[in-house]
Amino acid sequence: MRKKILVTGGAGYIGSHTTIELMAAGFDVIIADDLSNSNEKVVDRMEQIAGTRPAFEKINLADEAAVTDLFNRHRHIDSIIHFAAYKAVGESVAKPLLYYKNNLLTLILLLEQVKKHRIPGIIFSSSCTVYGQPDNLPVTEETVFKPAESPYGKTKQMGEAILRDSCLADNDLHAIALRYFNPVGAHPSALIGELPNGTPSNLVPFITQTAAGIRDQLHVFGDDYKTPDGSALRDYIHVVDLAKAHVAALARLLNGKQKSNYEYFNIGTGKSLSVFQLIKEFEKVNAITLNLKVTGRRTGDIEQIYADTTLANSELGWKAELGIDEMMRSAWSWQQKIR
Ligand code: WQD
């Protein structure tokens, strides 16, 4: 019997790429998504890639009655991968209550269903933003959290605390949090990728939209950081590598390989790149010259972060394989498709 995985936010950027990898690994997927940051065409594209259509439920996961009904109709769910959350750092500063309510209530309602229906496990979409600006680099999973730079980051710190406390109180609850570094790029088919709503806040979609002439100019937010070229450093990871990390974490959960019932892993490449370096890679791989201007720093940005991925490599048997060239090539191929 094929195992059934509920993927909340499965029509989103990381959720759609993970759904493809889950289906390729032989799982049946049910996507639950409110389409606030996606559209159902993405499900059509997933069907094109996978050859079969994942089950899809349009649902507000902050609506308790709707969530209860969903789990009453879909019995024998073997695990949940919970992506559904608002994730725009700047928006979270302007609308904190929206972020706390949506990002925390959806998790709490899901955990109530996990307990009620004795669902074997849940994987939580966390973020390197939980670390704030670390004192020492690379960050390990035991790096102490600094105050998060935004309400978005705080909802990820609180989400992990909710999972930790729930697992401490209930040995039958099994959870894994994956702390993403910076996901970029798109599926090699160029049928799915990042679909930012409105003006992109993230670097790579802004780069591809500038290259496509949708944006006039790319602004580099600060070149006065204490880094080799003055621009900020991040750990950029291909979204397909990130998707595969979820399949590896799911296997650990379902095969009972966890060493404790709440675990958390850094999912990055372990390499850091500056904004200028990433821009140069994009220009080189795609033979494009970008119109850019250096401006002041963006409020809330940290100077540098990148991952120590030893734990995920050893415990999940997972390692990022795709390089920055494929990240930049696939990002541009995707942009050209959706232009
Ligand atoms: C990367 C670098 C910017 C745009 C955030 C969240 C993280 C995850 C990814 C959700 C920074 C610079 C950016 C631009 C620029 N979110 N930049 N010009 O802020 O590292 O991470 O998004 O999953 O949780 O914290 O990503 O892509 O916004 O910025 O110079 O137009 O690019 O200053 O140094 P960030 P980002």
Side-chain angles (χ1 to χ4, degrees):
M1 178 82 166
R2 290 159 65 98
K3 293 200 178 294
K4 238 162 63 171
I5 312 301
L6 175 70
V7 179
T8 73
Y13 175 40
I14 305 167
S16 56
H17 287 81
T18 302
T19 296
I20 292 299
E21 297 304 326
L22 288 169
M23 294 172 83
F27 292 102
D28 283 339
V29 173
I30 306 157
I31 291 173
D33 200 305
D34 67 0
L35 297 183
S36 60
N37 201 9
S38 184
N39 63 66
E40 206 169 337
K41 274 216 300 288
V42 175
V43 184
D44 301 337
R45 300 279 182 75
M46 285 192 254
E47 181 179 8
Q48 264 183 274
I49 297 168
T52 53
R53 189 180 185 81
F56 173 72
E57 298 257 358
K58 186 172 185 299
I59 177 176
N60 171 7
L61 289 159
D63 175 337
E64 186 163 9
V67 171
T68 305
D69 170 60
L70 176 77
F71 283 85
N72 285 337
R73 286 185 290 108
H74 289 283
R75 295 305 179 102
H76 315 301
I77 285 171
D78 293 290
S79 258
I80 298 170
I81 303 184
H82 180 40
F83 292 105
Y86 297 151
K87 60 150 207 162
V89 172
E91 185 185 48
S92 77
V93 175
K95 302 175 183 172
L97 270 184
L98 180 75
Y99 273 67
Y100 288 121
K101 182 175 181 183
N102 183 65
N103 290 7
L104 300 181
L105 183 54
T106 51
L107 175 62
I108 290 163
L109 292 177
L110 281 177
L111 288 175
E112 288 177 338
Q113 296 299 320
V114 168
K115 280 176 72 74
K116 179 178 164 187
H117 295 281
R118 310 189 68 71
I119 293 169
I122 182 167
I123 293 174
F124 176 65
S125 165
S126 189
S127 168
C128 62
T129 200
V130 299
Y131 295 112
Q133 174 57 72
D135 295 330
N136 303 305
L137 288 169
V139 286
T140 73
E141 283 77 1
E142 297 319 311
T143 296
V144 173
F145 290 0
K146 293 286 200 60
E149 302 286 338
S150 68
Y152 160 76
K154 288 182 186 123
T155 67
K156 292 302 181 185
Q157 290 178 334
M158 293 174 186
E160 289 203 19
I162 290 168
L163 281 171
R164 181 190 305 275
D165 292 345
S166 303
C167 289
L168 215 53
D170 178 358
N171 281 332
D172 293 335
L173 183 57
H174 288 264
I176 293 179
L178 298 181
R179 294 171 183 166
Y180 311 155
F181 282 71
N182 285 55
V184 297
H187 190 267
S189 66
L191 288 171
I192 55 175
E194 195 165 5
L195 259 177
N197 263 340
T199 308
S201 57
N202 292 138
L203 176 63
V204 172
F206 207 104
I207 285 176
T208 59
Q209 288 192 12
T210 304
I214 299 167
R215 307 286 160 199
D216 296 334
Q217 187 176 55
L218 168 70
H219 289 172
V220 173
F221 297 146
D223 65 350
D224 58 347
Y225 287 105
K226 294 188 191 64
T227 60
D229 65 16
S231 66
L233 295 175
R234 295 289 186 276
D235 183 333
Y236 296 95
I237 178 171
H238 198 295
V239 66
V240 170
D241 276 328
L242 177 57
K244 289 178 177 173
H246 290 79
V247 180
L250 189 59
R252 184 178 177 86
L253 265 182
L254 293 176
N255 301 335
K257 297 272 191 253
Q258 285 190 284
K259 289 182 177 157
S260 77
N261 66 331
Y262 176 59
E263 296 178 308
Y264 39 93
F265 297 95
N266 287 338
I267 304 298
T269 65
K271 302 186 189 85
S272 69
L273 267 185
S274 76
V275 175
F276 286 130
Q277 285 174 316
L278 185 141
I279 290 168
K280 278 193 186 61
E281 281 291 337
F282 179 86
E283 292 183 326
K284 186 181 76 180
V285 161
N286 299 305
I288 289 171
T289 305
L290 287 166
N291 175 15
L292 65 86
K293 180 179 159 194
V294 178
T295 61
R297 296 181 180 188
R298 179 172 64 177
T299 315
D301 272 345
I302 62 169
E303 178 174 273
Q304 51 186 307
I305 189 165
Y306 61 100
D308 176 320
T309 61
T310 328
L311 199 65
N313 302 153
S314 58
E315 293 301 319
L316 298 183
W318 168 89
K319 188 169 174 50
E321 291 163 356
L322 297 167
I324 188 66
D325 53 348
E326 182 46 35
M327 292 180 217
M328 295 299 99
R329 188 180 302 115
S330 60
W332 180 232
S333 304
W334 160 247
Q335 179 66 59
Q336 289 175 291
K337 277 262 177 117
I338 54 171
R339 181 164 17 195

